[in-house]
Amino acid sequence: MSAPTPPRLLDLAGRHLLRAKHLDVSTLESLPTELFPSLFLEAFDGYRTETLKAMVQTWPFVRLPLGALIDLPHVGPLQAMLEALDALLAQKVGSRRCKLRVLDLRNTGQNFWSMWSGASSYGCSGSRMAAVAEPRSMTRQPSTPLKVFLDLCLKKRTLDNFLTYFLWWVEQRKSSIHLCCKKLKIVSMPMDKILKVLSMVQLDCIQEVQVSCTWSLSTLATLAPFLGEMSNLQRLHLSHVHVSAFKKQEHDHVVQITSQFRRLGHLRDLHLESPSFLEGCLDQMLRSVPPVNPVVKALSVRDGVVLYSWFLRHVSLEPGLARDVPEVPPLDSLSITKCRLTESDLTHVSQSPDISQLKSLDLSGVPMTDFRPELLQVLLERVAATLQEVDLDACGITDSQLEAFLPALSRCSQLRAISLCGNLLSTAVMEKLL
């Protein structure tokens, strides 16, 4: 049998310190930085609340990745940390070495703890890790608000104990706390509670939004102004929005929504499932610019018309501002599924300059029975240089349509996957595809 690994001197020193009855801020001021992470883990495992509070108030790193340790549905351990932060924010406790500017409550940062403690139990693969380093400038600005990172999943009728307490805590300290959420998922929650949560979040921090609940178009229109403020949004997944029979009112809701979509200048992945309100409305989401405008020189031109994609930010088109037009990255992924589109809609998509580098295209469940085959051919030709995945499941594609766009498909040199399930195609045409 192999002998057990003896404890490190660092671990022994931490355990010795924890035996002290009064390990307060003044004692921690002179503690070597290398001891903090391992001592924090020891105090956390032993639920030494007062020691943890003192360590938070003297934390010598910019970021405290607490989410890697805390089981968030339980309020107890987190409440002790927040009480320590209260004293710090109110400047009741002064510490010359405290550099804490970011409290991370996401399930990341395990590498930070394993690096300092040497404990493999806190480790995980590097590919899942979030960076713990922050720009140096943050440590020079003690007056800046404390950033708190938390991924939100709103999936209950009422907020759970943790979220209820935490949001109350943030609301009481709006001037000194910036709540940053990079991933937001909405499954089921009353809209009034959703809006209350979003009113506390720094909306420009949000990078990914997934809405997986059944909403009416009016409900989505209520959320739209908040969506428009998410200026750094990169991924948007929206599903099952229902349209009622009140055409005029629903048209007004569509305008409310599309006007906000145009502000999302960093969107890379767009997934719209069952967006029935889009039928015949994609032209409302595009913007044309007269060729005489000086800004035209800085934009893509097709057939003499400059088009703005509906998922891009609105660009001011004042004369003389051509060189100031921001360069907007094109989409990587576009998914519009399980809905009806018109030929005009498909034309607008194929003409958008922002699909020129598309890697993934998903139009599954979009009936193409009555579409002219040339439309899909033009769309595939536009993305032939970069397209890697295409999904045309259950589109009602016929033999003649597939044969028409096969030449364009054959020019997609980067194509790795194509799906045509649910289309009634003959063996002869499938052989041509192969």
Side-chain angles (χ1 to χ4, degrees):
M1 295 179 63
S2 59
T5 304
R8 301 177 304 161
L9 290 176
L10 195 65
D11 299 329
L12 292 174
R15 292 170 189 171
H16 175 74
L17 283 171
L18 285 176
R19 293 192 188 101
K21 293 183 179 180
H22 302 289
L23 190 60
D24 55 14
V25 172
S26 60
T27 305
L28 294 171
E29 286 285 359
S30 57
L31 192 68
T33 300
E34 292 79 5
L35 274 176
F36 266 79
S38 57
L39 182 60
F40 190 94
L41 290 177
E42 291 280 354
F44 185 87
D45 290 340
Y47 198 64
R48 296 176 178 268
T49 305
E50 295 304 317
T51 299
L52 289 175
K53 289 181 180 180
M55 296 198 71
V56 168
Q57 294 164 359
T58 55
W59 192 247
F61 305 98
V62 172
R63 181 184 297 261
L64 175 56
L66 204 55
L69 307 178
I70 289 183
D71 186 11
L72 285 183
H74 302 291
V75 178
L78 179 62
Q79 189 169 355
M81 309 295 174
L82 298 183
E83 289 176 2
L85 287 174
D86 278 338
L88 195 62
L89 294 172
Q91 297 183 342
K92 293 178 180 178
V93 177
S95 172
R96 55 182 174 79
R97 72 178 306 171
C98 183
K99 297 180 180 180
L100 181 59
R101 303 309 313 152
V102 177
L103 177 64
D104 198 338
L105 298 178
R106 299 169 297 175
N107 189 24
T108 59
Q110 292 92 334
N111 59 335
F112 172 85
W113 299 108
S114 60
M115 176 182 69
W116 287 98
S117 68
S120 59
S121 59
Y122 292 100
C124 62
S125 64
S127 61
R128 297 176 56 193
M129 298 306 168
V132 297
E134 288 292 327
R136 292 181 181 179
S137 59
M138 293 190 66
T139 63
R140 301 171 188 170
Q141 301 174 2
S143 60
T144 58
L146 176 72
K147 288 188 176 182
V148 181
F149 283 92
L150 174 68
D151 290 335
L152 289 170
C153 182
L154 309 180
K155 61 181 179 179
K156 296 180 180 180
R157 281 292 176 184
T158 56
L159 299 175
D160 60 29
N161 290 337
F162 157 71
L163 203 53
T164 300
Y165 174 79
F166 178 73
L167 292 177
W168 172 85
W169 183 81
V170 171
E171 189 175 19
Q172 303 302 312
R173 298 153 185 82
K174 286 183 179 179
S175 60
S176 54
I177 296 290
H178 278 180
L179 180 57
C180 301
C181 169
K182 290 192 174 183
K183 294 182 179 180
L184 171 65
K185 184 176 182 180
I186 303 174
V187 179
S188 61
M189 181 173 283
M191 180 54 67
D192 60 332
K193 294 186 181 298
I194 293 174
L195 298 182
K196 183 177 180 180
V197 172
L198 291 182
S199 67
M200 302 181 197
V201 175
Q202 297 292 309
L203 296 178
D204 58 351
C205 289
I206 299 178
Q207 297 180 5
E208 182 176 333
V209 172
Q210 181 177 350
V211 179
S212 301
C213 50
T214 302
W215 277 354
S216 65
L217 194 60
S218 60
T219 303
L220 179 59
T222 303
L223 185 70
F226 289 86
L227 189 65
E229 294 296 325
M230 300 176 190
S231 56
N232 289 302
L233 190 65
Q234 297 179 20
R235 295 181 178 88
L236 176 61
H237 184 132
L238 182 64
S239 61
H240 299 97
V241 177
H242 293 289
V243 181
S244 69
F246 300 97
K247 297 295 183 182
K248 174 61 172 66
Q249 185 178 7
E250 295 293 41
H251 174 74
D252 293 341
H253 292 324
V254 170
V255 173
Q256 284 180 273
I257 296 167
T258 56
S259 64
Q260 300 299 328
F261 270 55
R262 292 195 303 273
R263 302 173 62 186
L264 306 181
H266 292 279
L267 198 61
R268 302 299 299 272
D269 298 321
L270 178 62
H271 184 115
L272 302 174
E273 183 178 348
S274 304
S276 56
F277 64 94
L278 286 183
E279 182 179 0
C281 294
L282 286 184
D283 59 329
Q284 298 179 22
M285 300 179 179
L286 293 164
R287 282 292 181 264
S288 60
V289 183
V292 297
N293 195 296
V295 180
V296 168
K297 297 178 182 179
L299 303 174
S300 301
V301 180
R302 181 178 178 86
D303 299 330
V305 180
V306 180
L307 298 173
Y308 280 111
S309 179
W310 43 286
F311 34 72
L312 298 182
R313 68 165 67 91
H314 173 68
V315 178
S316 177
L317 299 179
E318 298 178 10
L321 294 183
R323 67 182 64 184
D324 296 328
V325 175
E327 182 180 352
V328 181
L331 281 180
D332 287 334
S333 175
L334 174 62
S335 175
I336 304 177
T337 64
K338 299 177 183 178
C339 68
R340 287 189 173 275
L341 297 178
T342 64
E343 286 196 351
S344 175
D345 290 331
L346 202 58
T347 299
H348 286 303
V349 173
S350 63
Q351 288 179 336
S352 170
D354 305 288
I355 66 163
S356 59
Q357 297 183 34
L358 203 66
K359 295 180 181 179
S360 176
L361 174 65
D362 185 356
L363 295 175
S364 58
V366 176
M368 298 188 182
T369 310
D370 300 325
F371 284 5
R372 289 178 289 114
E374 293 83 3
L375 292 177
L376 196 54
Q377 179 183 352
V378 171
L379 178 56
L380 290 173
E381 286 175 349
R382 285 291 314 281
V383 298
T386 57
L387 191 64
Q388 297 178 5
E389 300 176 2
V390 57
D391 190 338
L392 297 172
D393 288 351
C395 289
I397 295 175
T398 62
D399 283 353
S400 60
Q401 285 178 315
L402 181 56
E403 286 185 289
F405 66 75
L406 268 181
L409 195 62
S410 67
R411 288 194 285 273
C412 297
S413 57
Q414 304 298 317
L415 195 63
R416 299 185 303 193
I418 178 171
S419 183
L420 290 163
C421 297
N423 297 292
L424 297 178
L425 301 169
S426 67
T427 303
V429 171
M430 291 305 295
E431 288 177 346
K432 288 184 181 180
L433 172 65
L434 295 177

